[in-house]
Amino acid sequence: MPADEFSLIARYFSAFGAGPAVALGVGDDCAILALEPGERLATSVDTVVAGVHFLEDSLPEDVGYRAVAAAASDLAAMGARPLGMTLALTLRDADELWLHSFSQGVGAAAADLALPLVGGDTTRGPLTITVQVFGAVPVDRALLRAGAQPGDGVYVSGTLGDAAGGLAVLEGRYRPDPAAAEYLEQRFFRPTPQLALGVALLGVGPGSPGAEVTRASAAIDVSDGLLADAGHIAAASGVRIQLDAARLPLSPALAAHPDRDQALRWALAGGDDYELCFCLPSAASAPAGCTRVGEVVAGEGVSCPGFGDLTAGYNHFS
C-alpha cells in the first residue's frame, strides 16, 4: 500500500519536534508555542524550488539543511530567539530513500539551530520546500532595517562570497584545490545563521565572547548579496551606504581565487551567505568575528567604488 502524507510525516519528521517553547507540536491541527513575558512573536517564511534555488542532483540532506538554515537567518536578522518551524513539502512522488536523506538534513538543522519542527504539510507536485520559522523578540526591541544614521559604521559577520564560490564549483565554473572546493561547497549547502549575534545586537545581553555589544541601529541578513541587502537598509533608513571593497572579509578558500575581482564580485553580489550586515554607532567596537566594511552617510542608495556595474542581487522576475 503506497504511503500517505500522514505516514510520511510520522515516519520522517515527527522526531524533530521537541523544544522548550513547544507547548504542543506535531499531531493536532495547530502547534502551540510559548512566549515568555515581555516577548512578541517574529515569523518569516522561505520557499526553495528545485532547479531555481538548488541543483536537481544536490544531496537531499544538504537541500534539507540549507532550506532550514536560510529561513532561520531571517530570525537572526531581527534578533529573534528561535522557537520552532513548520515545513511544507511538495514532492514529485513518495521516494522514501530521498525522504529519509532529506529528513536527516532537516533534523540536523533543527538540532544545530535549536529550531524544533512543530508542523507542516505534504503535497504532490514539482519539488518545492517551504519553511516557516517562529522566534521571540523583546517587546519593542527587534532589529529593523530602518534606523541607520549618518556616521554609523557598516559591519558584516563572518566571510562573504563563499556560497557564490561554492555554486561556481558545483557548476564547474571554478576549480580550486580539493580542500578549498569542499569548504566552499559546504558554505553553500550548510550556511550558519548568526542567531546568537542577532540576539547580542539587541544590546540587551552579552555578546560573543562575553562582552557587551552595542545595540545595532539597523540589520539585515545577507541573502541576496551585500550590495542588494545593504541597499535595503539604505532605503528603509533614508540614508546612503558606502562600501569599501578592500575591507570585505574573504575566506582563505575564496581569497585564493586567481582573479581577485571575481572573488570580490561574489562577495558583493553573490548572495546566499546568510551572514548579518548591520550598522553600529561610530564609536562602537565590532563584535568578535565581524568586520567594518563601510559607513552610513547622508543621501540614498548604496555604492562600492570600482564595482558600480554590478547588479544589485537576484530577482526572480528579472
Side-chain angles (χ1 to χ4, degrees), residues 230-256:
H232 295 319
I233 290 179
S237 298
V239 296
R240 181 172 183 80
I241 289 180
Q242 294 180 339
L243 300 173
D244 182 351
R247 295 183 176 186
L248 295 178
L250 304 182
S251 68
L254 193 63

Side-chain angles (χ1 to χ4, degrees), residues 31-203:
I32 300 176
L33 301 174
L35 295 176
E36 298 293 333
E39 288 186 330
R40 288 179 175 168
L41 183 69
T43 185
S44 179
V45 64
D46 271 355
T47 296
V48 294
V49 180
V52 177
H53 300 93
F54 60 91
L55 303 178
E56 296 275 1
D57 60 353
S58 299
L59 293 176
E61 59 265 39
D62 287 336
V63 173
Y65 195 102
R66 185 173 184 270
V68 173
S73 185
D74 286 335
L75 295 180
M78 301 291 288
R81 174 175 65 88
L83 299 177
M85 64 174 165
T86 59
L87 169 67
L89 185 58
T90 301
L91 300 167
R92 296 187 183 95
D93 52 61
D95 181 341
E96 298 209 29
L97 182 62
W98 190 95
L99 272 169
H100 172 76
S101 179
F102 174 81
S103 70
Q104 296 307 297
V106 171
D112 289 350
L113 305 176
L115 199 64
L117 178 63
V118 299
D121 191 25
T122 306
T123 57
R124 186 171 186 176
L127 180 57
T128 305
I129 302 149
T130 297
V131 177
Q132 184 162 17
V133 292
F134 304 91
V137 292
V139 172
D140 299 327
R141 294 290 295 183
L143 299 175
L144 304 176
R145 298 178 182 184
Q149 299 291 323
D152 286 355
V154 180
Y155 296 82
V156 294
S157 63
T159 58
L160 300 179
D162 293 328
L167 182 60
V169 172
L170 291 165
E171 293 180 338
R173 294 181 284 112
Y174 177 40
R175 294 181 174 83
D177 67 75
E182 181 179 3
Y183 175 83
L184 295 173
E185 288 177 13
Q186 284 301 296
R187 285 279 285 158
F188 176 79
F189 282 123
R190 305 264 172 151
T192 305
Q194 298 298 311
L195 291 161
L197 175 61
V199 171
L201 290 172
L202 292 174

